[in-house]
Amino acid sequence: MQTLPNGIKKVEASDNATIVNFNANADLLDAKIAELGALGTEVDGVSADLTAHKGAGGTAHALVTTGSAGFQSAADKAKLDTIATGANNYTHPTTHPPSIIVQDASNRFVSDAEKNTWNGKASTAVASAVANGLMSSSDKTKLDGIMAGAAYAAGTYTGDGTALRDIALPFTPSAVLVILSTLFGRTEYCGFAISGSPAYNGSPVYGPIVQTATNGFKVAYRDVGSVNSLYTNTTGAVYNYIAFR
């Protein structure tokens, strides 16, 4: 008689069949049938679990949320497919420090001090009667013409001690009056000349003390210690004059 791996005794042709062996085989078969029945229950449970987990019809796990694990939705999968490899959850800052900004010839930062300096400069608008500003070309022409077209010119000069000196004017005067600024009543320090009629101090032989000239007038210095001295160009002395057209 041959005993199989599961314990059942296999009767061969030369063996005698006995009640004992038959009952032993029957008990083994009954036990195996019970085991198979239990296994069938487990298989049914696995099948049900698989059914619950398969596809959209499954109910064992809900979709994942930010608070609990779960299955991935089709929408989340589509979203993930559009995200580049290596991308991260970057939030762009609302402000940037100047140090990270690249400046160039057309784009520069300006400090408060520089802006205040620029704002403090004179306006580039043309000046008006009530506001400072740049002089217009017409005003400059007018200003240049005031002296040239005026009926007279007045001013001062400082003597340099030369014997005969030219004082320039913007026109040829018809008359000139010269007076030492610190002394009056001394004829050798002043003179009034008319065109064609010079002023003299004493004898005309010593030359005029003041005379008109083209675009100006002439003054003189001659020290002879007498009434014939000419002192309208004494070194360092300041003289006032007025010249008429």
Side-chain angles (χ1 to χ4, degrees):
M1 183 173 289
Q2 182 181 2
T3 302
L4 298 177
N6 56 15
I8 296 176
K9 296 183 181 298
K10 182 179 180 182
V11 180
E12 297 182 1
S14 60
D15 294 331
N16 293 321
T18 65
I19 295 299
V20 174
N21 288 335
F22 179 83
N23 289 339
N25 284 340
D27 291 339
L28 288 172
L29 288 173
D30 186 59
K32 294 298 181 183
I33 290 171
E35 289 178 5
L36 288 175
L39 181 60
T41 301
E42 292 179 4
V43 170
D44 290 342
V46 171
S47 177
D49 189 55
L50 289 174
T51 301
H53 284 77
K54 68 179 181 179
T59 58
H61 290 293
L63 292 178
V64 65
T65 68
T66 57
S68 61
F71 284 127
Q72 183 179 36
S73 68
D76 283 349
K77 181 63 172 70
K79 182 177 181 180
L80 283 173
D81 288 345
T82 62
I83 298 176
T85 302
N88 55 35
N89 185 17
Y90 173 74
T91 301
H92 195 75
T94 56
T95 60
H96 300 283
S99 59
I100 70 171
I101 306 299
V102 177
Q103 301 183 57
D104 56 37
S106 301
N107 302 275
R108 298 286 186 198
F109 290 117
V110 177
S111 67
D112 288 346
E114 290 173 324
K115 187 174 180 180
N116 291 335
T117 298
W118 295 341
N119 290 341
K121 293 185 180 297
S123 171
T124 57
V126 175
S128 69
V130 296
N132 297 332
L134 298 180
M135 178 182 286
S136 66
S137 58
S138 59
D139 283 350
K140 180 63 170 69
T141 300
K142 181 179 180 180
L143 185 63
D144 290 345
I146 289 176
M147 182 61 74
Y152 67 90
T156 63
Y157 68 90
T158 301
D160 62 9
T162 57
L164 190 63
R165 177 184 175 188
D166 287 304
I167 305 297
L169 293 173
F171 56 84
T172 298
S174 61
V176 177
L177 173 64
V178 174
I179 300 176
L180 182 67
S181 62
T182 58
L183 183 65
F184 299 94
R186 296 283 298 274
T187 58
E188 64 266 37
Y189 289 97
C190 61
F192 179 69
I194 299 175
S195 179
S197 181
Y200 296 96
N201 180 38
S203 174
V205 71
Y206 299 110
I209 192 169
V210 178
Q211 61 181 314
T212 62
T214 302
N215 292 328
F217 61 94
K218 296 179 182 293
V219 291
Y221 177 76
R222 180 175 181 271
D223 186 6
V224 294
S226 68
V227 294
N228 295 312
S229 294
L230 310 175
Y231 292 147
T232 53
N233 193 35
T234 302
T235 300
V238 178
Y239 300 86
N240 297 316
Y241 70 83
I242 182 167
F244 302 92
R245 280 187 178 278

